[in-house]
Amino acid sequence: MKYISTRGASPELPFEDCVLAGLAPDGGLYVPQYVPELTMPEISAMQSLSYPELAYNIISRFTGETIAPDALKKIIDESYKTFRHAAVAPLKQLDSQTYLLELFHGETLAFKDFALQFLGRLLDHILEKRKKKVVIIGATSGDTGSAAIAGCRGRRNMDIFIMYPHGRVSDVQRLQMTSVLDENVHNIALDGTFDDCQDIVKSLFADESFRSKHNLTAVNSINWARIVAQVVYYFYAALQLGAPAKTINFSVPTGNFGDIYAGYIAKKMGLPIGQLIIATNRNDILARTLKTGIYEIAGVEPSLSPSMDIQVSSNFERLLFDLHDRDGAAITHMMAGFRKDKKLELSGRALARLRAEFAAARADDAETKSTIKKCYEETGELLDPHTAVGLCAGNKARKHNKSTLVVLATAHPAKFPVAVEEACNIHPALPAHLEDLFKRKEKFARLNNETAAIKKFIEENI
Ligand SMILES: *Cc1c(COP(=O)(O)O)cnc(C)c1O
């Protein structure tokens, strides 16, 4: 199994190298040359597997020869052992045909733990084999940073530097990062905005000599290993609800299009998924694209579901590649135009294909709150605001309510207590492993919004 770039101008790579590279040198994203297809009997035979067994079964189809089976098993076992629920990704029934897939039982209470616990261990394994070390750099507005730190803390072959905008992340999000005291973890509270953090990361990566001197690496959502880890829970949920004999629909709170793209891969592998619903908040570039065929940037507006407040969805390029018959030259041309004009118009054929694979709906802040309230009153379940967007948009877009709908519950309500409290007057409690979070010691450096200051800090702390 080899990986190719969506822009068609980079050499193909085996799995391990594509994990190390992140972005392809031609600016594209790596995708597998083909998606392995499973037969109905093969899928049925997965029904009795535990979460880690299923994860091994699926992920090993994408790793090719590169990682020894025992090593991969160990990485997977250890990754999902950190989850605080025996089922790892339990389903909770809301009504006769609607379920929540709880993806928030990991260390940092969001679904990103599924990918980043795996990626941290996987990277460490690859680096150990190659006797290499890397420096991971990332900017975060909250969830990604803490999940990346949790996945990389204490690993021998990496240092991780995470920048967040000082005073602009929630207390829980900050503490989940700054209370990690391992020597290889470095938090930077930047005097600036999230965009400033991202600009600095970009300029560090653009500095060829700094980049190669320290082996800079990113663990952002375009890394293929993150996608592949997320494919697993679509299978896990669907199998429990009667697949492959039954077709299951999913509603996915969407930002960078990573999580829902994993669902699309599961469908291409043969899992009988009916509707795949893109659920967005008011930052609805994807929902608009489905409606109008025009993928166009609008300014980011803050919402109650901040992890979905994005301007563009970086993983969408992977889907565009398929919608255009995997023509890398066409994607290069389209993305250059998009960069220049801030918009991109899909051909009639590409739009028809997009609409055949996905549905979309949006939920604004008022709908997000009323969904939290209604769900609590009717079922006793507290939803986090991202999950509420998923449920609200899922109900708008589902064809009829006799079909089974699984809503991905992407974060624990206690991660976003203010929104939950505003919606239904209940303060969601942190789970036991984080009860003392507010009493923990913190470690971070407060730095000016200057690339030179950040470079100096990195060199002094590796
Ligand atoms: C990151 C995140 C999302 C969006 O996921 P994408 O893969 O970027 O689409 C949704 N909900 C929560 C809680 C998140 O942290």
Side-chain angles (χ1 to χ4, degrees):
M1 167 77 74
K2 289 276 170 45
Y3 289 81
I4 56 174
S5 163
T6 51
R7 307 227 177 145
S10 298
E12 55 180 50
L13 291 181
F15 177 77
E16 281 193 3
D17 297 87
C18 128
V19 171
L20 284 180
L23 204 66
D26 60 11
L29 280 66
Y30 286 108
V31 289
Q33 252 170 347
Y34 63 92
V35 172
E37 279 178 44
L38 310 182
T39 62
M40 294 276 269
E42 277 177 307
I43 297 174
S44 298
M46 294 173 164
Q47 246 151 8
S48 57
L49 300 183
S50 68
Y51 194 91
E53 287 167 345
L54 181 67
Y56 177 77
N57 186 312
I58 304 232
I59 295 171
S60 60
R61 296 171 195 268
F62 289 91
T63 53
E65 310 284 271
T66 51
I67 301 191
D70 284 353
L72 184 61
K73 267 187 199 139
K74 184 158 175 262
I75 290 168
I76 289 171
D77 282 350
E78 287 177 356
S79 298
Y80 298 110
K81 225 183 253 166
T82 64
F83 282 65
R84 263 91 178 170
H85 194 292
V88 183
L91 280 167
K92 197 167 267 173
Q93 189 161 13
L94 292 182
D95 63 36
S96 64
Q97 294 299 343
T98 311
Y99 296 81
L100 289 178
L101 178 62
E102 293 187 346
L103 301 175
F104 51 68
H105 294 282
E107 182 66 36
T108 72
L109 312 182
F111 83 94
K112 292 189 170 72
D113 291 323
F114 277 85
L116 285 160
Q117 287 293 326
F118 173 66
L119 180 56
R121 288 174 173 82
L122 178 68
L123 262 182
D124 207 35
H125 170 80
I126 299 172
L127 294 167
E128 187 77 32
K129 245 183 12 187
R130 300 188 177 196
K131 308 224 173 329
K132 270 177 76 177
K133 293 199 189 302
V134 294
V135 172
I136 293 166
I137 312 256
T140 189
S141 54
D143 287 351
T144 307
S146 57
I149 287 171
C152 296
R153 66 185 294 182
R155 312 240 162 270
R156 287 165 49 139
N157 301 302
M158 57 189 78
D159 274 287
I160 177 165
F161 292 81
I162 296 290
M163 250 172 273
Y164 64 89
H166 179 74
R168 295 179 198 230
V169 300
S170 79
D171 290 342
V172 173
Q173 287 177 324
R174 185 192 77 246
L175 279 154
Q176 284 185 326
M177 298 189 274
T178 58
S179 68
V180 178
L181 306 178
D182 299 68
E183 266 183 16
N184 72 331
V185 173
H186 315 277
N187 284 291
I188 299 172
L190 194 86
D191 275 311
T193 62
F194 172 60
D195 286 338
D196 295 329
C197 296
Q198 258 184 328
D199 285 344
I200 290 186
V201 169
K202 276 191 199 140
S203 69
L204 294 176
F205 275 94
D207 181 338
E208 214 32 77
S209 75
F210 189 79
R211 176 184 181 156
S212 53
K213 182 172 166 203
H214 298 300
N215 264 325
L216 294 197
T217 302
V219 291
N220 50 21
S221 74
I222 53 110
N223 198 301
W224 178 260
R226 285 184 61 172
I227 304 287
V228 82
Q230 293 170 192
V231 172
V232 178
Y233 47 68
Y234 286 90
F235 273 87
Y236 191 65
L239 285 164
Q240 285 181 67
L241 294 173
K246 219 170 120 188
T247 296
I248 309 294
N249 307 289
F250 287 90
S251 177
V252 187
T254 303
N256 258 324
F257 206 72
D259 206 2
I260 192 157
Y261 177 75
Y264 163 80
I265 295 293
K267 190 172 170 184
K268 285 184 67 140
M269 290 177 77
L271 188 68
I273 294 180
Q275 282 186 298
L276 256 180
I277 299 167
I278 299 168
T280 71
N281 62 26
R282 67 213 276 188
N283 298 294
D284 60 349
I285 180 168
L286 290 166
R288 279 186 284 119
T289 305
L290 245 92
K291 201 180 264 176
T292 63
I294 301 173
Y295 184 67
E296 183 174 19
I297 291 184
V300 179
E301 290 181 43
S303 78
L304 288 178
S305 40
S307 300
M308 290 151 60
D309 291 345
I310 50 99
Q311 215 168 9
V312 295
S313 300
S314 35
N315 278 292
F316 193 58
E317 182 169 335
R318 289 188 158 117
L319 184 70
L320 285 174
F321 187 59
D322 282 359
L323 298 179
H324 293 87
D325 300 310
R326 308 201 122 203
D327 178 349
I331 299 299
T332 306
H333 181 73
M334 287 176 84
M335 295 315 289
F338 179 62
R339 216 168 146 166
K340 190 163 120 285
D341 306 332
K342 311 272 178 258
K343 85 182 210 189
L344 179 167
E345 195 165 340
L346 294 181
S347 68
R349 198 167 80 114
L351 180 60
R353 285 182 169 181
L354 173 67
R355 286 179 177 155
E357 297 286 354
F358 296 92
R362 55 170 258 164
D364 62 24
D365 279 355
E367 290 171 312
T368 303
K369 281 200 257 187
S370 62
T371 303
I372 294 174
K373 185 164 188 279
K374 184 160 176 278
C375 182
Y376 180 69
E377 286 169 357
E378 288 176 0
T379 70
E381 282 304 314
L382 281 178
L383 305 178
D384 107 284
H386 304 78
T387 307
V389 168
L391 179 58
C392 179
N395 277 331
K396 283 186 191 178
R398 74 203 286 186
K399 285 206 192 95
H400 45 78
N401 48 16
K402 287 212 185 69
S403 55
T404 305
L405 179 70
V406 175
V407 177
L408 269 52
T410 52
H412 190 287
K415 197 151 189 184
F416 300 93
V418 178
V420 177
E421 204 163 349
E422 266 182 39
C424 64
N425 272 322
I426 299 210
H427 187 84
L430 283 165
H433 76 279
L434 290 171
E435 253 168 16
D436 65 339
L437 187 65
F438 283 82
K439 291 185 202 126
R440 291 185 194 170
K441 197 173 156 228
E442 294 184 67
K443 181 181 91 165
F444 63 92
R446 188 164 166 191
L447 297 178
N448 285 336
N449 177 17
E450 289 163 13
T451 304
I454 306 296
K455 270 190 186 164
K456 184 161 170 279
F457 179 78
I458 291 173
E459 300 214 296
E460 284 169 0
N461 286 280
I462 293 173

